[in-house]
């Protein structure tokens, strides 16, 4: 069970300090938004590269941008250890995933709430993680969409049938109130924003969330 705190909920004026406050986490989740694929604008390549140089944990970059086919591998080159792109924005999902891997990072695909997983089940060998969005992408602080748990379970069943080491990530509204539900549905990587950075001690919040997920008995089966 891995926790990937979203720096979207952090203090952007002090990102080096903020990322240092989650040294107990498995990843630092970095949302890249271009104001086109989603109606919000955050940060880009230069900031990711700077963060990679100072972060105590690997960067888990989530691209919510148009034309990820062009940009995804460049984020791996900039220092991201995992790069997620949206299938809805990619012209060639397999080629883009391969370009990320060739650049030395883990490749992941993301699905918006209205996007079915069925059309991508045969691509599991090409990716290292599937991100099921549990809110509409674009803004933090949204309410958790419990109806997405069926999709998480579908991905878990497909991963287990295929016997591939693919992680299943959830992003959106993940908190102490929802993380066990996500784990029981089959997720094993959890993006949490305000549930971590909204606490007085973010590192302790990470540990609590991880313990909750582990205690739920969900996630990937033992191999």
């Amino acid at each position: 069970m891995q926790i990937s705190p979203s720096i979207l909920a952090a203090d952007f004026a002090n990102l080096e300090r903020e990322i240092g406050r989650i040294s107990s986490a498995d990843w630092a989740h970095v949302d890249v938004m271009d104001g086109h694929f989603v109606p919000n604008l955050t940060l880009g390549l230069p900031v990711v590269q700077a963060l990679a140089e100072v972060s105590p944990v690997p960067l888990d970059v989530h691209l919510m941008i148009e034309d990820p086919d062009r940009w995804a591998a460049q984020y791996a080159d900039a220092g991201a250890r995992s790069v997620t792109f949206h299938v809805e924005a990619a012209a060639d999902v397999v080629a883009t995933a391969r370009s990320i891997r060739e650049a030395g990072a883990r490749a992941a695909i993301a699905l918006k709430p209205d996007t079915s997983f069925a059309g991508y089940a045969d691509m599991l060998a090409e990716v290292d993680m599937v991100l099921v969005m549990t809110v509409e992408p674009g803004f933090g602080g949204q309410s958790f969409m419990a109806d997405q748990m069926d999709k998480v379970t579908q991905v878990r069943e497909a991963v287990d049938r295929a016997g591939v080491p693919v992680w299943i990530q959830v992003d959106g509204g993940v908190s102490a109130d929802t993380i066990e539900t996500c784990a029981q549905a089959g997720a094993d990587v959890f993006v949490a924003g305000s549930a971590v950075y909204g606490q007085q001690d973010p590192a302790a919040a990470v540990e609590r969330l991880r313990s909750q997920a582990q205690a739920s008995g969900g996630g990937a089966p033992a191999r």
Side-chain angles (χ1 to χ4, degrees):
M1 297 294 185
Q2 303 180 67
I3 307 298
S4 183
S6 172
I7 66 168
L8 190 62
D11 179 0
F12 268 37
N14 296 281
L15 282 180
E16 181 175 358
R17 182 199 68 189
E18 292 288 83
I19 211 165
R21 298 173 72 201
I22 57 166
S23 59
S24 62
D26 301 282
W27 300 85
H29 190 81
V30 182
D31 289 310
V32 175
M33 308 182 197
D34 64 359
H36 298 283
F37 180 70
V38 293
N40 197 5
L41 186 66
T42 53
L43 47 79
L45 272 169
V47 176
V48 168
Q49 185 171 11
L51 286 174
E53 293 173 357
V54 300
S55 178
V57 293
L59 300 187
D60 166 28
V61 171
H62 178 190
L63 299 179
M64 288 172 267
I65 63 173
E66 292 182 348
D67 198 13
D69 311 73
R70 173 186 177 188
W71 294 103
Q74 295 187 51
Y75 281 88
D77 290 337
R81 295 279 297 280
S82 177
V83 179
T84 302
F85 64 96
H86 275 265
V87 297
E88 303 89 354
D92 190 328
V93 172
V94 170
T96 300
R98 288 178 177 175
S99 73
I100 294 168
R101 283 177 160 182
E102 289 168 2
R106 296 177 61 87
I109 55 173
L111 307 173
K112 295 172 67 175
D114 288 340
T115 301
S116 170
F117 170 66
Y120 303 95
D122 60 352
M123 299 180 184
L124 287 175
E126 300 287 350
V127 301
D128 302 291
M129 185 169 72
V130 176
L131 165 56
V132 176
M133 292 298 300
T134 45
V135 297
E136 289 292 341
F139 293 92
Q142 298 183 64
S143 298
F144 177 74
M145 298 173 68
D147 60 354
Q148 295 302 303
M149 294 302 96
D150 287 344
K151 188 188 298 184
V152 172
T153 299
Q154 291 169 14
V155 180
R156 168 54 60 203
E157 291 172 349
V159 167
D160 292 345
R161 283 195 303 270
V164 289
V166 173
W167 299 343
I168 302 172
Q169 185 179 69
V170 286
D171 179 4
V174 176
S175 69
D177 294 329
T178 60
I179 194 168
E180 293 179 23
T181 298
C182 295
Q184 290 164 359
D188 49 21
V189 187
F190 309 89
V191 177
S194 57
V196 172
Y197 278 110
Q199 306 302 308
Q200 186 173 3
D201 185 343
V206 166
E207 296 297 346
R208 286 194 298 271
L209 289 171
R210 186 185 292 115
S211 295
Q212 278 189 266
Q214 291 170 341
S216 73
R223 297 192 183 280

